[in-house]
Amino acid sequence: MECTQPERYAIRRLEDGLFLAVQGTDQRVTPVADPYEAYLFHTHEAALRAALQLNSSGRGPVDVIKIEWEPAAPAEQASLTG
């Protein structure tokens, strides 16, 4: 089912402001500077659950950031809020 909400959520590390992405065949978590390269969650609740899990496992501190975007527009045209 296509998500119609115009926002996504990313996880950002507080220590350096980098965002977290899931990359590689082993799906490792890696830092990226561009929020549009980060793993984007469809709901705030899912992003918050992941952030809490990262923080409780000692891989934080991280925070959830709202990413505004247009589903039909290229990622370069999206704007970041937070």
Side-chain angles (χ1 to χ4, degrees):
M1 183 167 112
E2 184 72 25
C3 184
T4 59
Q5 297 301 316
E7 68 267 341
R8 296 290 184 266
Y9 300 89
I11 295 177
R12 182 169 59 186
R13 297 191 315 191
L14 296 179
E15 66 189 40
D16 57 13
L18 294 175
F19 294 87
L20 298 182
V22 178
Q23 298 179 336
T25 56
D26 59 352
Q27 296 189 339
R28 66 188 178 279
V29 176
T30 59
V32 294
D34 184 351
Y36 303 105
E37 292 177 8
Y39 183 85
L40 298 178
F41 293 85
H42 288 265
T43 67
H44 183 259
E45 292 80 10
L48 189 56
R49 260 194 317 272
L52 290 171
Q53 196 170 32
L54 289 165
N55 285 332
S56 68
S57 67
R59 296 173 67 188
V62 297
D63 197 8
V64 173
I65 302 297
K66 183 178 178 181
I67 307 292
E68 296 282 348
W69 73 299
E70 292 293 325
E76 316 64 80
Q77 296 176 0
S79 63
L80 169 67
T81 63

